[in-house]
Every structure is written in C-alpha cells, then in structure tokens.
Amino acid sequence: GRAAARPPRRDPREKPDGTVWRETGGEPVVSPAEAAVIKKKRDAGEARKFTWDEVKKHNKRDDVWLVVEGKAFDVTSFVERHPGGWRPIVAMAGRDSTEVMNEFHPAAVFDKYLPAYYVGDVVDYEVSEIIKDYRNIRQDLLARGLFRTDKAYYYAKVAWLASILLPTLYGVIACSSTTAHMISACGMALFWQQLAFVGHDLGHSAISHSRDIDYFWGGLIGNFLGGIGLSWWKNSHETHHVTCNSIEMDPDIQHLPFLAITSKIFNAPFFSTYHLKEFKTDAFARFFVSFQHYLFYPIMSVARFNLYVQSWIMLLVRRDEPVPYKLIEICSLLGFWLWLGTLMSFLPTWGERLAYFYISHGLAGILHIQITLSHFISETFNGRSDETWIKHQMMTTTDITCAHWLDWFHGGLQFQLEHHLFPRLPRHNLRIARDQIIKLAAKHELPYYEMSFFAANKKLCGILHETAMDARKLKKGDAGFYESPIWEGMNARG
C-alpha cells in the first residue's frame, strides 16, 4: 500500500493564538499576550476604563502610571524600588511604555510582577502601522533565537582581553626600557577600551540575561579591571537610553561648563532631572564652550577621570538610588587602584609613571569619542519627546558604518540605533537587526542616519564650532548668566 503522507513540518517560530514571544535568559519563550491576573481582575469588575487624557495626568514621581499594550498600570508604589532607578520609569509616566518595557525586561516581569499594578484599560489606545511593524521585527528576532548569547563569542573576548593584558603587564614588570614601558601604556589603553564593551554588555544583562548574575560579575570584574563603577554606569546609561538627547533629562549630553552640543542649551537655565541641579551658562561655561571645537579631543583624553569620580560619588555620596552589591563594588574599585598603583611602582622614575598614567588614560579616550559620537551629531530636544519610541531613537541616534573586520574596534556598538532599539540583543547579532531596521525606515519614510567614523567626527567638529560661535554671541542677562538674543526676543526682553 501507499505510505501515509507525512504531516507538514511545523515552523518552530509559530506560536498559539493569544500568545507572544518574550525572552528569559536570552531564550525565546511563548507567553500569554495577557497575564491571567489581568483577565481575572477585568472579569471581576476591578478594572476601570480610561482615556489617554486621564492617563497623561499621572506623570510625576509621586504619581506614576504606565501604559503597556493598552493597559494602564499604577506603579507609584514601586517607583523608588525600581532596579533601574526612578528616573527611567518617571520619564515614561503617563505614556505608552510598551517598547521600553519589552526591550528592558524579561518575560517574568510581564507574567508575574507587572500585572499586580494593573488598574484598567485605555479605551482610545491605538497602535500605528510603524509600531506594529517594529513589534513584528522584535517578535521575529526572538523567534529566531537571536537574543540567545553565543557563549563562544564571549570566550573569544576573554581570550582576546587576556592577550592584550598579559603582554601589557609583562612590558612593565619584566622589561627595563622606556620604550617597552610606553608601548605597555598603549596596550593598557587598548585593554580598557575593549574591556568597556564587555562591561557594557554586562550592564545591559545581555550576556547571561540575568540581572543579578551580570550585575555581580560586572561589579566584581569590570570594576576591578577598569576602575569604573557598574552601579553608576547602569544608573546613568539606562536613563540615557530612555531619555536619549533630551537636554533636561539625558545625562550623556549635560556637559556644561565644558561642552555644549546644541545652542538650545543657551536659551535659559535648565534643571537636570538626572543631576537634580540647575545648569547655567555662566562666564566660566561661556569661555570653555567658546573654544570647545579645539578642546573636545583633549577633554576626551582625560574624560576617564570623570568616570572614576562619578563612580565613587554614586557609592559614597548619593542616597537617592539603590546600589546592589555596594560592598563588592567598593572593594573592587579599591582593588583597581591597588593593582594599578602596584604595576606603576615597577617603573623606575616618577616621570615614566606620569607618562604611563597619562598615555594609558589619554589613548583610552578613543572610547569616549566612540560612545558620544552617535548622539552628539544627532537631533536634540527639550523635555520629553512627543515622538513614538522608534522615531525618537532614530532621530537622536546615528550609526557608524565600518567593514566587518573593524567590528572589534567599535565593539559592535557602531550599530548604536539597533542597540538602542533592542538593548538586550547581544551585540554579535546587531548587524542582523540593522538590515531589518533599514527596511522598516524605508517603508515608513523614517529618518535613518549612518556615516563613517571619520565623516561623523568631521560633522561633530562642525557642530561644536557652530555652537562655540553662538556661545560667543551670548549677552550677560539680569540673572548673571549669559542668554541667547533669540531667547530674549521670544520672551520680549532686551
């Protein structure tokens, strides 16, 4: 008789109706699109119906509602306990937070924790075609297992870092020539630059995809080898991701009195919601900004010292944020200065020690150019963006183009837009995401910016020069700070 026909093979990316792909430990998991607790509350009549206008009123630190997939959640009681700090969650208060929640959190948050704060549904919630397509891209990346970390990739990174560090140490400890010592300083700079990319991945929980595991190892190893505190980095960096290029909210573009990447900063004093202080263009700031196109690269050569200081401030001074593993971080940072000081003690003279210290830190400044470039040349705005999540990120981020063989130099983070859209996606898969984002941008006529590293630096120099010239035109106002004539005109002053 004829053999029975085989049933068609099931596509492993298929999932039952009423479910979505989420991520746990980097692995794709099928979860209910709506947690059972939410359905139970709704069926019991405990859920209310709200309009967007009602939800938008709950947008303060002591009154925070988030909207996720059309459902409203009153998370006010959780704000101060949020592991990512209160700033990112308050930045999304009263807004559609679906993309932020999806991109920064594993499945357990949607299945177990978030439903406890459910208060009702937004009746006029709508999803644009752009957002639908963007969410479909994320579902596809998850279904294909692209959030899964390639362990071999990180084993290779560990071997690569060891191949840099060990000869660097040998050059100081076992060699007597000044030339060998200065080459070692260059090696240390390269080591710190490359280490930062792995530390970055740990900070985003993008290696084990467990916050506790990545936080522990990042705080222990990253702090010890790099001297920069992971708790400070996470607090600042996660705020940057959510508030990218907001003059008042993004700490990564708040660099007065030394730098100003846009003349909008001069319009009036602004209050930083990150630093919790007012920034003014005083005489000191006006002087430095007026020459910033000359000073930018020298400033980047010493920028690492600021990160050391900020790390200690976070651990010893600030009391407004929780710091897990504080003791481990403090001991690790002390250990960094102990081993670095011991290493430099092998150098024969103070002159060589100072030269080693500055060369290693100065050349490591290439990292600071890399991490600021994608945003310093992009659009800025005041307050909270009115754009959708994806358009906001596309407007404020520029990709840096390079050949495959140069990925090691940029750490994969030259695909900065893709990283901002999918921060938990391992960076070895960002090129794949890039292809889909380019198609999405073309389909919906969205801004998509990319240029070479050298072209981006050229553009940045132009922006810094233009802002410097605007700074020189500022006039001293009644309040003692320097104001833009445009600001005066808008406010019928002067």
Side-chain angles (χ1 to χ4, degrees):
R2 297 175 59 186
R6 293 181 179 180
R9 293 183 63 184
R10 181 180 177 184
D11 186 339
R13 288 180 285 181
E14 290 182 0
K15 54 182 175 51
D17 292 339
T19 63
V20 294
W21 288 106
R22 300 201 193 278
E23 172 253 314
T24 295
E27 296 294 330
V29 295
V30 176
S31 294
E34 181 175 278
V37 172
I38 292 177
K39 186 177 186 302
K40 184 178 180 180
K41 284 186 176 182
R42 189 184 293 117
D43 293 344
E46 298 175 16
R48 297 169 55 195
K49 295 186 182 298
F50 306 97
T51 65
W52 264 120
D53 287 340
E54 292 175 292
V55 172
K56 289 177 181 177
K57 296 175 183 177
H58 303 276
N59 63 356
K60 299 179 179 63
R61 185 174 176 178
D62 59 354
D63 182 15
V64 178
W65 285 23
L66 303 179
V67 173
V68 180
E69 296 169 350
K71 304 169 189 65
F73 300 87
D74 181 356
V75 297
T76 306
S77 62
F78 177 70
V79 169
E80 305 300 331
R81 295 181 287 117
H82 181 227
W86 61 267
R87 291 170 180 82
I89 202 168
V90 171
M92 298 306 301
R95 310 176 70 189
D96 188 355
S97 307
T98 305
E99 275 54 64
V100 176
M101 291 297 299
N102 278 329
E103 301 306 341
F104 285 91
H105 301 92
V109 170
F110 298 88
D111 298 339
K112 299 179 181 179
Y113 305 117
L114 187 62
Y117 301 97
Y118 170 70
V119 291
D121 301 303
V122 183
V123 294
D124 50 350
Y125 181 82
E126 297 179 354
V127 181
S128 69
E129 291 302 313
I130 295 172
I131 294 299
K132 287 179 183 178
D133 286 347
Y134 167 65
R135 292 179 183 176
N136 287 336
I137 290 174
R138 185 174 192 277
Q139 288 292 294
D140 179 64
L141 294 173
L142 282 165
R144 292 163 63 188
L146 294 175
F147 279 75
R148 184 182 298 118
T149 299
D150 181 356
K151 294 182 180 178
Y153 176 85
Y154 283 100
Y155 291 146
K157 288 298 177 187
V158 171
W160 166 238
L161 288 169
S163 74
I164 301 171
L165 181 60
L166 294 179
T168 295
L169 299 177
Y170 181 87
V172 173
I173 297 172
C175 298
S176 59
S177 74
T178 300
T179 300
H181 296 160
M182 295 307 103
I183 292 174
S184 172
C186 296
M188 188 62 75
L190 178 63
F191 173 74
W192 282 334
Q193 186 244 8
Q194 292 291 299
L195 177 69
F197 297 133
V198 176
H200 174 276
D201 296 345
L202 287 166
H204 275 294
S205 305
I207 296 183
S208 74
H209 293 268
S210 164
R211 180 179 182 274
D212 288 336
I213 293 174
D214 283 356
Y215 206 134
F216 175 82
W217 288 110
L220 180 65
I221 298 175
N223 289 24
F224 178 72
L225 293 177
I228 298 172
L230 185 63
S231 59
W232 165 78
W233 183 89
K234 283 179 67 71
N235 183 268
S236 172
H237 193 69
E238 290 177 3
T239 302
H240 155 70
H241 263 265
V242 175
T243 64
C244 188
N245 276 20
S246 166
I247 291 171
E248 294 84 1
M249 305 176 78
D250 182 359
D252 281 15
I253 64 168
Q254 296 173 350
H255 299 299
L256 285 179
F258 299 107
L259 296 171
I261 64 168
T262 174
S263 298
K264 297 175 186 175
I265 289 174
F266 307 143
N267 285 344
F270 68 89
F271 184 82
S272 167
T273 58
Y274 181 81
H275 296 287
L276 300 180
K277 69 176 186 179
E278 190 173 63
F279 280 79
K280 295 180 179 180
T281 312
D282 56 20
F284 189 73
R286 180 176 179 270
F287 172 79
F288 272 97
V289 172
S290 294
F291 296 97
Q292 65 178 1
H293 48 305
Y294 299 118
L295 297 173
F296 175 72
Y297 294 104
I299 288 174
M300 292 298 101
S301 73
V302 296
R304 192 175 186 89
F305 298 113
N306 177 57
L307 306 191
Y308 294 152
V309 172
Q310 295 301 323
S311 298
W312 283 108
I313 289 175
M314 182 72 183
L315 292 170
L316 302 180
V317 178
R318 290 178 56 176
R319 296 288 185 267
D320 61 328
E321 300 287 1
V323 180
Y325 309 114
K326 178 183 283 191
L327 182 59
I328 290 176
E329 284 210 57
I330 290 174
C331 292
S332 296
L333 291 181
L334 290 173
F336 168 78
W337 290 106
L338 178 62
W339 76 254
L340 182 59
T342 302
L343 179 68
M344 292 177 61
S345 71
F346 283 89
L347 298 171
T349 67
W350 277 105
E352 281 198 27
R353 291 167 189 161
L354 290 174
Y356 188 97
F357 193 70
Y358 179 72
I359 290 173
S360 60
H361 284 78
L363 292 181
I366 187 68
L367 171 69
H368 303 283
I369 297 171
Q370 289 174 301
I371 61 180
T372 59
L373 194 57
S374 290
H375 301 295
F376 277 20
I377 63 174
S378 302
E379 297 183 46
T380 59
F381 62 95
N382 291 102
R384 302 202 301 178
S385 173
D386 294 327
E387 302 291 348
T388 60
W389 168 257
I390 183 169
K391 190 171 182 180
H392 169 204
Q393 299 298 338
M394 296 182 93
M395 291 171 64
T396 56
T397 310
T398 300
D399 277 351
I400 304 300
T401 58
C402 76
H404 282 264
W405 66 271
L406 274 174
D407 280 0
W408 71 270
F409 175 70
H410 294 286
L413 295 179
Q414 69 273 28
F415 305 118
Q416 189 69 196
L417 171 61
E418 290 71 26
H419 168 62
H420 266 246
L421 293 175
F422 309 107
R424 287 170 67 90
L425 183 70
R427 57 185 160 105
H428 51 73
N429 288 329
L430 289 175
R431 275 192 181 272
I432 300 172
R434 172 180 176 269
D435 294 338
Q436 298 205 44
I437 294 302
I438 289 176
K439 293 176 183 177
L440 178 70
K443 177 181 178 181
H444 294 285
E445 298 182 344
L446 293 169
Y448 181 85
Y449 307 121
E450 63 176 3
M451 59 183 63
S452 72
F453 182 70
F454 294 104
N457 272 275
K458 181 179 179 181
K459 181 177 180 180
L460 175 59
C461 289
I463 290 172
L464 293 173
H465 177 268
E466 181 181 350
T467 308
M469 296 304 102
D470 288 341
R472 295 182 186 185
K473 298 174 185 176
L474 296 175
K475 297 189 300 183
K476 193 169 185 178
D478 296 335
F481 60 90
Y482 287 82
E483 301 170 326
S484 165
I486 297 175
W487 171 258
E488 292 181 354
M490 290 173 59
N491 291 275
R493 294 181 55 184

